[in-house]
Amino acid sequence: MPTLIATSDLPAADRFECWRSAVTDTFVPLRTETSRPDRFDGRMRGTELGALTVTEIAASPHVVRRTAPLIARSDPGHYKIGVQLGGYCLLAQDGREAALVPGDFAIYHTTRPYTLAFDDPYRQFVLMLPRRLLRLPQEAVAGLTATRVSGRRGVGALLSAFLVQLAGRLDEIDDHGSVRLGDNIVDLLVTLLA
């Protein structure tokens, strides 16, 4: 799986600025902030599974914001699912907040403002997919954004366990099975959301 960025390979003074650029290049235009840019460290690895993009992130504390001006600049209309692998995340969108601990996940939409706050070092697995792939009414999904899905019970536990395992095994996936695997993940996600 290709490494998109590893800031430890860079001079300390350049690390956070490179991280900011990499976050926008990997996902959508985002505003990234930290109170300690001089101590920042982060790593992203990612790949594509058909139309689904998956990225494993490990980083120092920071905040990521998708603002209205950034949306106006670029709006690809994607859903993102954040699966917490380590640490803590507070996701806010559409007047709701989802507090995520390892195993939990939540869905959010790139066409509306959102904030991801990481107060401590963390690891997260992010799935990004075009909204057409969910095959669910947009208004139904809009009612589910920034809602925590527990990774400890029900279908959420099944999907979480699968995604956590996938995050640790992306290097083992060959090109031949990647499209089908992406389709299977989307099918499981649709089952959960429906």
Side-chain angles (χ1 to χ4, degrees), residues 40-120:
F40 187 83
D41 192 29
R43 178 181 53 87
M44 280 194 284
R45 304 181 323 144
T47 193
E48 292 182 358
L49 305 174
L52 180 67
T53 301
V54 293
T55 308
E56 179 191 17
I57 304 166
S60 301
H62 65 282
V63 176
V64 176
R65 298 181 201 284
R66 177 89 165 134
T67 63
L70 292 174
I71 293 167
R73 195 171 94 198
S74 171
D75 178 20
H78 283 72
Y79 288 114
K80 292 171 72 179
I81 295 90
V83 183
Q84 202 66 22
L85 301 175
Y88 173 84
C89 172
L90 184 63
L91 164 65
Q93 186 173 52
D94 298 329
R96 292 182 292 273
E97 292 184 344
L100 306 178
V101 297
D104 293 344
F105 59 95
I107 189 168
Y108 47 109
H109 202 300
T110 62
T111 63
R112 294 188 303 282
Y114 63 80
T115 301
L116 296 162
F118 305 98
D119 292 339
D120 297 302

